[in-house]
Amino acid sequence: MTQKKGTRALKGRSALCAQLVTLEMAFMAKFWDTILSRFQATSAILQQSNIAIVTAVRALESLHDFVAAQRDFFDSFERAALSVPGVSQTYRHDSHRRRRRKIFADESGEQDVELDGRRKFQVETFNVAIDTLTQSLGHRLEAYRHLCSLFSVLFCEKSESNASVIEKAKVLASAYPSDLDDSLGDSAQIIY
């Protein structure tokens, strides 16, 4: 019984090792290292206790733009992955035998478009990861922008006009009618 467990564990380990030396794995390791390093830096900024919401919005905008720009660096990530010692120099899709799909009588004889391994990985994995990240960051950024617009009265510059300050105070008061009085705009005018 223990010999069977040992054999299964050895097979499992060799299967894992086989996955770790694929070009796709090396590519994603390089990609995620770049992305997560930037996320960590942004997270450190956002966790500061004295951060202004305007600074938080700018940090998230920067992160969003950085992630979106990575779409243009597929070739760079690929070169970095190919330079890792011991990593396969081809994509798994290119080394597998192509399956022929049976064509039924009611289907056209046209062949489906088949992507090579590189293009398939770029379209189905790399681009999807970037699109998902940018979409999620976009939602988070929109929430921060909304809060920033609501509370912008608290971050007014001294040079800002009284009318602008009053308008911003009214926006905040209308967002929280049960907590803030409509006269908040009048109070804001006295302060500034």
Side-chain angles (χ1 to χ4, degrees):
M1 188 68 133
T2 55
Q3 188 173 3
K4 283 185 180 181
K5 284 184 182 179
T7 304
R8 269 191 250 145
L10 186 60
K11 285 182 182 179
R13 210 173 308 137
S14 64
L16 178 61
C17 289
Q19 290 295 317
L20 291 176
V21 296
T22 63
L23 179 55
E24 291 88 347
M25 182 65 79
F27 183 103
M28 292 308 283
K30 296 290 185 180
F31 169 71
W32 283 113
D33 180 57
T34 301
I35 294 294
L36 293 176
S37 294
R38 187 64 180 261
F39 265 82
Q40 184 177 14
T42 304
S43 178
I45 292 169
L46 294 176
Q47 291 179 35
Q48 294 173 354
S49 61
N50 60 348
I51 188 171
I53 194 160
V54 175
T55 306
V57 168
R58 287 185 190 133
L60 280 173
E61 286 172 340
S62 175
L63 179 62
H64 180 271
D65 294 346
F66 174 80
V67 170
Q70 297 310 299
R71 184 182 282 270
D72 297 334
F73 295 107
F74 180 85
D75 294 334
S76 299
F77 289 119
E78 184 181 51
R79 276 192 303 276
L82 287 168
S83 70
V84 174
V87 167
S88 171
Q89 298 296 299
T90 59
Y91 290 93
R92 282 187 307 204
H93 180 75
D94 291 338
S95 62
H96 287 92
R97 186 172 67 94
R98 305 249 193 280
R99 292 183 183 170
R100 292 193 174 262
R101 192 176 68 83
K102 183 178 179 179
I103 299 174
F104 295 96
D106 62 341
E107 293 181 317
S108 70
E110 293 179 20
Q111 294 291 326
D112 292 335
V113 174
E114 180 138 351
L115 302 174
D116 67 332
R118 179 181 195 272
R119 186 75 178 133
K120 182 177 174 63
F121 181 74
Q122 183 178 13
V123 170
E124 294 179 2
T125 304
F126 180 72
N127 289 349
V128 170
I130 290 177
D131 292 345
T132 302
L133 283 171
T134 54
Q135 185 179 22
S136 294
L137 284 170
H139 291 306
R140 172 91 28 112
L141 186 54
E142 230 14 76
Y144 272 80
R145 283 180 178 152
H146 177 70
L147 285 174
C148 191
S149 69
L150 283 179
F151 292 96
S152 63
V153 69
L154 303 175
F155 308 107
C156 290
E157 299 289 325
K158 294 284 185 191
S159 59
E160 204 159 340
S161 71
N162 277 344
S164 174
V165 172
I166 292 169
E167 187 58 37
K168 288 178 180 183
K170 286 181 182 178
V171 168
L172 181 60
S174 67
Y176 298 98
S178 60
D179 298 320
L180 299 174
D181 199 305
D182 285 339
S183 64
L184 180 65
D186 299 331
S187 302
Q189 184 178 9
I190 295 168
I191 295 170
Y192 282 90

